Amino acid sequence: MNASARVTVLGCGTSTGVPSIGCTTAACLSDDPRNKRLRPSIIIEHKGRNLLVDTGPDLREQALRHQITRVDAVVYTHYHADHTHGIDDLRAFNFLMRKPIPCYAYPNTVKILRQNFSYIFNDGNYSGFKPQLTLEEIGDSPFGVAGMNVIPFELEHAGMRVMGLRVGDFAYATDCNAIPEKSMEILKGVRVLVLDALRHREHPSHFTVAEALEIVDALEPEQTYFTHTNFELEYHETNRNLPSGVELAYDGLSFEAFL
Ligand SMILES: [Zn+2]
Ligand SMILES: [Zn+2]
């Protein structure tokens, strides 16, 4: 039997979250939990160990909601605020696990994380308790983390290099408006894909629903979930118009990946 991992979507909203403050669209006014989206993050559990992808501003809420009590490693897709600004809440896992947490990212992300969170990564005289983290640069090669083999692949996000991750037959591709050919090769044969699809209208750094569907057509995964969706995409109405095998992700969505 193949080894498996459990993927849970901790948040599938765009940078503002849904509802976004002051917004009166159908998605934002909806009481349906599937229209309530925290900032984008997933967690992958394998044999009791957890790999967290990104630490957005909702990390604390996500950890409480899913009773997450350990984080064995963090992979950062990129340095944007909606993916990093919950970093201080990693302290909770330092308290619980009594050891530093290894974090992995592309060099461009490492550079900005060191700048933006200087109090964590640079020696200084910070007086409070800061997260105990190590930061390691990742290149194009697969790397082992939390007992899993992660194949990184590059995504384009308005010129920024963002890391996508393939773990077994699952891949996560958030925050992108193009996928280079080399990465499409890595994505071949993926069974479950979580893919950026911000909204219907064009955007300089995110796929639209139509653009994301072109990627789905090229890769033909068994199941695709759209993430990083904004307030224009009401869950049920959007799903009604998507082809079979494609639907919007929702916070708390969980499925198995085969390693
Ligand atoms: Zn984002
Ligand atoms: Zn971004």
Side-chain angles (χ1 to χ4, degrees):
M1 200 179 77
N2 284 338
S4 68
R6 177 142 291 270
V7 179
T8 302
V9 174
L10 301 178
C12 64
T14 189
S15 59
T16 56
V18 178
S20 69
I21 296 169
C23 178
T24 55
T25 59
C28 286
L29 295 178
S30 166
D31 288 330
D32 193 316
R34 297 202 172 185
N35 281 313
K36 298 195 185 299
R37 304 173 192 137
L38 297 177
R39 264 58 73 87
S41 176
I42 61 167
I43 195 163
I44 310 174
E45 185 269 333
H46 174 59
K47 291 187 175 172
R49 288 201 271 175
N50 285 330
L51 165 59
L52 178 66
V53 181
D54 293 329
T55 60
D58 297 316
L59 174 58
R60 175 179 171 276
E61 175 65 29
Q62 292 161 335
L64 290 171
R65 194 180 283 184
H66 295 279
Q67 297 167 330
I68 298 164
T69 54
R70 63 182 293 157
V71 169
D72 296 88
V74 177
V75 169
Y76 282 102
T77 59
H78 64 308
Y79 58 75
H80 278 160
D82 52 326
H83 299 258
T84 58
H85 280 201
I87 194 169
D88 202 67
D89 287 326
L90 289 174
R91 288 180 305 161
F93 305 103
N94 291 141
F95 289 138
L96 291 164
M97 299 177 73
R98 299 179 181 282
K99 59 181 180 183
I101 299 170
C103 303
Y104 304 87
Y106 280 151
N108 62 326
T109 303
V110 165
K111 182 171 173 245
I112 303 294
L113 287 176
R114 285 192 190 284
Q115 279 174 23
N116 288 358
F117 303 106
S118 174
Y119 78 99
I120 299 175
F121 296 110
N122 304 321
D123 288 337
N125 298 316
Y126 187 70
S127 61
F129 182 79
K130 61 186 188 180
Q132 308 297 306
L133 311 174
T134 61
L135 198 46
E136 197 174 313
E137 289 187 358
I138 291 300
D140 293 330
S141 305
F143 57 104
V145 59
M148 290 173 275
N149 185 48
V150 175
I151 306 171
F153 58 90
E154 195 171 324
L155 300 166
E156 284 174 32
H157 186 36
M160 183 196 288
R161 189 180 190 225
V162 169
M163 192 194 295
L165 294 84
R166 178 167 181 166
V167 179
D169 64 359
F170 160 71
Y172 185 58
T174 187
D175 292 66
C176 49
N177 63 308
I179 303 182
E181 201 44 52
K182 206 169 71 178
S183 301
M184 289 296 279
E185 284 298 315
I186 292 170
L187 283 165
K188 269 189 185 161
V190 89
R191 187 178 59 85
V192 185
L193 175 64
V194 174
L195 178 63
D196 185 346
L198 178 73
R199 64 185 189 189
H200 291 299
R201 286 181 299 124
E202 278 189 18
H203 190 277
S205 60
H206 293 276
F207 279 135
T208 63
V209 169
E211 289 165 344
L213 285 172
E214 287 176 24
I215 299 294
V216 172
D217 277 348
L219 292 171
E220 298 185 322
E222 195 177 296
Q223 181 66 49
T224 302
Y225 297 106
F226 287 159
T227 191
H228 217 292
T229 50
N230 86 350
F231 51 83
E232 296 173 28
L233 299 183
E234 197 281 326
Y235 181 80
H236 299 283
E237 193 219 326
T238 306
N239 277 348
R240 265 196 295 279
N241 295 306
L242 290 174
S244 72
V246 184
E247 53 191 273
L248 296 193
Y250 54 89
D251 290 14
L253 168 70
S254 182
F255 52 85
E256 217 169 358
F258 295 99
L259 306 180

